[in-house]
Amino acid sequence: MSKIHVTTKVNGDEVEYLCEPRETLLDCLRDHLDLTGAKEGCGTGDCGACSVTMDGRLVCSCLVLGAEAQGKEIATIEGMAEDGALHPLQRKFIEHAALQCGICTPGILVAAKSLLEKNPDPTETEMRYWLAGNLCRCTGYDKIIRAVMDAAAEMREAS
Amino acid sequence: MQYHTPPSFEEASRIAASASGTTRFLAGGTDVLVQLRSDLVTPDDLIDVKHIPGVKEIARQEDGGWRIGVAVAGAEMTEHPDLGRDWPGIVEGMDLIGSTQIQGRATLVGNLCNGSPAADGVPALVAAGASVTVTGPNGARDVAVADIPTGPGKTCLEKGEVISALNIPARGENGGDAYLRFIPRTEMDIAVVGCAVNLRVDGDTITEARVVLGAVAPTIRAVQACADALIGTTLDDAALEALDKAARAACEPIDDKRGTVEFRTDVAGVLARRAAKIAYARAKGEQS
Amino acid sequence: MVQVHLWSGLRPLVDGREVVEVEGETVGQLLDNLVKDYPGLKPAIDKGVSISVDGQIIPKSRGVKVKDSSEVFLLQRLYAG
Amino acid sequence: MALDGPKQDFKYIGTRPERPDGWDKVTGKARFGADFSMPGMLHGAILRSPHAHAKIIKIDATKALALKGVKAVVTRADFPEGLEGEDWNIQENVMAGEKALYDGHAVAAVAATSQLIARDALKLIEVEYEVLPHVTDVDKAMAEDAPVIREGAADYSVPEGMHPNVVRYMESGRGDLEKGFAEADLVIEESFTTEAAHQGYIEPHACVANLGADGKGDLWCCTQGHWFVRQMCTAVLGLEATQLRVTPSEIGGGFGGKTTVFIDPVALALSRKAGRPVKLVMSRSEVLRATGPTASASMDIKMGMTKEGKITAASGTFRMQGGAFPGAPVDVTTMLAFANYDIEHVHHVGYDVMTNRPKQAAYRAPGAPMGAFATESVLDELCRGLGLDPIETRLKNAVKEGTPATFGPKFPPVGLIETLEEARAHPNYSVKLGPNQGRGVASGYWMNWGGETSASVAIGDDGSVQVSIGTVDIGGSRASMALMAAEAFGIPYENVRVSIADTGSLGINEPTHGSRATFASGLAIIEASREATRKLCQRAADKWGIDADAVTWEDGCAKPSGPNAGEFDPLTIAEIAAEMGSTGGPISGHHESTPDGFGGSFGTHVVDVEVDPETGRTTILRYLVVQDAGKAIHPAYVEGQFQGGAVQGIGWTLNEEYIYGEDGRLQNPIFLDYRVPVASDLPMIDTVIVEVPNPGHPYGVRGVGETGITPPLPAIANAVRDAIGVRMKKLPLTPPRVLAAIKARD
């Protein structure tokens, strides 16, 4: 079984890896690039813990082949804080206690960021539906939704 | 597993035709990768069609119809400024599949090729009278979407055949469509029942109608008796009652982990009524 | 003597008694003396029981002090969740 | 064990600072179970039985071992023989012996140079099975003709003549039921069932094992309790306890399900055989098929009430299956079923029954929600039948300090009445409802836990404080621990660091379970801090040349205790710490105990629902949790526990269930069909924290983690009853069931 050589951009850095055709983008991020921020909660696209963006589009990295990343731009949780400063969403998640165990947090942050880029002023309902593919078993979502709303408000004010 | 990225459908078809083992086409991958991951299907050849020119395009045709590339993701359909104005039911059917993340990848054609009677994307396509272009070893042919699935997990596509485009007819005047499905949660489930309604009105009177049910039979089912219940009416209570009855009568569901025969039959009638009301309002321009 | 209340499933093991009396100044001594004085209770106590002393549930601390006037119940062995 | 009366005035306790691990958790840096790797590491995979019950005739791994990259295969033959009791149960569960006992039961495992090769190798292992008849339903498993899962598994308690699948029997109660029911104006008797629900943590079990042929090893894993892991793994593998060091990773949820082991001993066995580290990570379907969901239950409840609303008598029979092993939490179910109320005549009977399902594991308040569902549903029917308000009626019967509990002893101070009063006063309780809407109320209890606990504090040379605890942080507890240490030392929260020690660095600690971490580790930290401040005072006394008794510790400083002690400027913790080396050496404090003063926590929930009369789907409109926290150390995380518990309860009530086919196989082993609540299913979850101090904790803390999942099942069922006029007695309240009930009504 020959491996595939992939050149792609992750969080702005050009990277290369060799992958088996069967390996997912999530496998490649975690095992070949040591980016373990995206998590595998289900492997079937049902939990969202592996959320990343590919060419700006929110996807489950468990449902993308590593080989498909060729020539793409991938953004993961590891690229969300810039220059040592947390993204407003990250800050608000800590402030609002919007995480308990924290395993779903990277995926939810990536998904929430993608929402606010598309819609800076979402309603609570829009937020809940946008995040419906990100399971959280600890919080009951209440504080997550509050944190996203608060971050959105702060970002609107800042812009 | 061999991973292929052919530059054309002809080449994709050739690879598939000459393959000796299991072949799968990869567009959105939201079904193929799940099967791969769970060791249900490990293709010997996986043919990624996303490198073929035009597969990500949504194009209005000269006759007012639409041609949708096979790798267009659900989110791209939802975001399109005009498609949803013509065919809101088709767009909302696709939009109901999976999460935001799934929408970033999943395709209508993939949903169709999966052959599931519960596919959310398909009933509205059938109701719209959509067709697909199939490229195979003997060239291209057009096939009605309704004819593609032949049973749970099965399609009429022959070895070496690949769907190369989706064609949606022109909306025309005074038409409206809608799709509703029932799931236990608000998101993330497979349809227990689905129903698409596409109709046209003249004033208040329905002149054309198609009603298509999902997840209540081995394949997605267009129900003429439901259409007959609507045509010539103003969607009054009697018409809705007749529609409900016809929808129930058309059901041949199974009992499974997602629902019972009784439940699916009852809810098919409920959704038919609800979807018809939405489609009717849309046809009359009262609702977007 | 300390009065120890038994759950009803244990009563057939001690001729139907609801309460038995044993000597003991600690939970451990009570348990040891229960086994000695009422051998019928041995399988239950060997399998594990909890005890309550004046309303406080003691899953396993043998050293907790008991007075003759203490309210003592034997309880099913409890587990955390 | 009351140390001294709970403290009342606090400087740091009750504030909401940022959690110490927040930054790591929001940037993806935090390392969870599957995020570890080691040089030379192999990847493991486990072959699982496709049969619910089958004799294993032969396992042939020849072809698997011949696959390039495969380094080891283990089966039960690689584990020691002769284990007994729960050790044997665990060993049998992690690797099947003579029989596969449920769909998903491990039968062999492979270690290979990659995950893909390991998975490919599994397909090459040939297992010959003789399929046996199976049973997965608790009532069917007790029937005379049920297949026997294991002869001789029953303990002393089971009366003669019962089916061998009944492995424990319990009976408790007091008073005279006949008399009690005779005093009632209304007696209601109903039967209920609940299905097994999974803890549903988002992180699948994962570990990296490194075990040498010399019996020494290391294990990194996601667990609620690494000393439990050590005990279980060493017992199952025949190792000496302290030869295995277990280091917990960050843990991605547990809810009780990570208090035991499933893959860790297998990874260790593979590592020992291959002579290399081995990583094992479960897939989601493995988690659902082969780790512990909670038990399912079948229950008969009878309760009587006077027209004034006084409960006169109650009895319940609880039949629970916990899979192919003894251990369904029926003892807790029976104990807590009626525990909210002062009832003179009460009787409980419980059966622990084996079936061909995975070995149940603890799940948040294990055993309590099922019983509460049944009893609080009947109570609601009594209120309806007599035209009584559900909160007033509960207030009339609620237990308080001194009430004899239905399980025997008198209650210490508890807060049920306070939660009911707060619920009654909350605006949610008076919102006007529309058509097809209904309101439900229910209360619930969890008795909490102490458990073996050991903690240390050490003063840094700049006066900051290092806290080492043995209870893993599953929901933000490091923040609470740091707050308690800050309070005890009188130093800023930011000056306290909390780390979770591995098994080689601290005495034994029970897991983060039983709602014990903040109570027990907190208590140990406060006591350890007090020991350290005594030493700090001693250093100051030595410096000032006065007696240590004449020095007090206040606001992070040693001070003379009064004018008679002499005139000295206070010495700060930093000043004393700076001279530690030359004044007697490092300063630390330590505390270890098995504290018993855990006070139970009561909660009352109020929920409004709307039921679609045409589809039977239930929507949660608003939800209120009121619960007694004793003292909320970090209120935001207390609210989080309330909200999370409520939502897990909502899932269990509405959609979550284990669905077994006729073939005994689990039909829904992925999150697509094992339907946990998603964000769009829910409203905000309103909370009220009640604080009735627990006299058994220096700051009054009660555990809060578990109670919150107990009231939702009946509260929602009661709300649905209110909305549709039909009592639902079978969980979950799936739309097909609710619609069928509505149709039967009409």
Side-chain angles (χ1 to χ4, degrees), chain A residues 5-89:
Chain A
H5 177 255
V6 175
T7 304
T8 186
K9 212 177 238 186
V10 178
N11 300 327
D13 295 329
E14 193 145 296
V15 296
E16 294 174 77
Y17 53 81
L18 288 175
C19 70
E20 299 275 355
R22 281 189 284 165
E23 282 182 299
T24 63
L25 174 59
L26 178 62
D27 295 332
C28 295
L29 289 169
R30 292 177 55 86
D31 299 339
H32 301 321
L33 301 175
D34 290 328
L35 292 169
T36 56
K39 310 296 180 190
E40 179 163 324
C42 69
T44 50
D46 296 309
C47 81
C50 66
S51 296
V52 302
T53 61
M54 186 161 74
D55 286 349
R57 182 72 73 185
L58 185 68
V59 297
C60 284
S61 60
C62 75
L63 294 187
V64 177
L65 287 177
E68 290 182 82
Q70 172 64 40
K72 306 280 188 194
E73 291 200 21
I74 313 292
T76 73
I77 185 66
E78 285 92 345
M80 197 158 161
E82 286 180 273
D83 305 324
L86 294 181
H87 185 279
L89 277 162

Side-chain angles (χ1 to χ4, degrees), chain D residues 178-186 305-307 312-313 344-345:
Chain D
E178 220 170 295
K179 180 168 176 282
F181 286 123
E183 286 164 10
D185 292 305
L186 180 60
M305 187 180 274
T306 66
K307 55 183 188 303
T312 60
E344 197 179 340
H345 309 288

Side-chain angles (χ1 to χ4, degrees), chain D residues 513-533:
Chain D
H513 68 167
S515 301
R516 69 178 285 275
T518 306
F519 166 76
S521 276
L523 181 147
I525 286 169
I526 294 163
E527 286 304 301
S529 302
R530 288 174 178 176
E531 185 181 301
T533 55

Side-chain angles (χ1 to χ4, degrees), chain B residues 204 206 229-230 232-243 277 280:
Chain B
D204 288 343
I206 297 170
L230 295 176
T233 76
T234 57
L235 202 66
D236 52 15
D237 287 350
L240 287 168
E241 190 52 41
L243 170 67
K277 285 184 192 170
Y280 185 67

Side-chain angles (χ1 to χ4, degrees), chain D residues 473-642:
Chain D
D473 179 354
I474 201 163
S477 61
R478 269 168 291 205
S480 305
M481 303 299 167
L483 279 167
M484 286 184 275
E487 191 74 43
F489 278 102
I491 61 172
Y493 169 81
E494 293 72 22
N495 293 7
V496 182
R497 303 287 297 162
V498 181
S499 60
I500 318 298
D502 64 48
T503 59
S505 312
L506 203 61
I508 287 174
N509 275 272
E510 274 193 35
T512 298
H513 68 167
S515 301
R516 69 178 285 275
T518 306
F519 166 76
S521 276
L523 181 147
I525 286 169
I526 294 163
E527 286 304 301
S529 302
R530 288 174 178 176
E531 185 181 301
T533 55
R534 282 194 293 276
K535 292 180 184 173
L536 288 159
C537 287
Q538 180 69 56
R539 300 288 168 99
D542 291 349
K543 189 170 175 120
W544 292 329
I546 63 173
D547 199 83
D549 292 344
V551 181
T552 59
W553 190 262
E554 215 178 285
D555 288 335
C557 298
K559 291 175 183 167
S561 58
N564 296 339
E567 284 280 322
F568 304 102
D569 287 340
L571 277 170
T572 65
I573 190 168
E575 286 165 338
I576 300 170
E579 297 181 347
M580 277 189 301
S582 58
T583 60
I587 298 171
S588 60
H590 185 74
H591 184 79
E592 54 216 357
S593 63
T594 305
D596 293 313
F598 46 90
S601 174
F602 279 97
T604 297
H605 293 197
V606 179
V607 56
D608 291 351
V609 303
E610 180 167 328
V611 179
D612 181 340
E614 289 189 320
T615 66
R617 190 165 84 186
T618 301
T619 303
I620 306 288
L621 299 174
R622 56 190 74 79
Y623 201 104
L624 170 67
V625 181
V626 187
Q627 192 185 320
D628 178 15
K631 178 68 201 173
I633 300 296
H634 192 306
Y637 288 99
V638 172
E639 291 161 3
Q641 289 296 322
F642 292 3

Side-chain angles (χ1 to χ4, degrees), chain D residues 688-706:
Chain D
V688 175
I689 301 174
V690 165
E691 294 184 327
V692 176
N694 169 21
H697 185 277
Y699 294 166
V701 168
R702 295 171 194 273
V704 296
E706 291 174 285

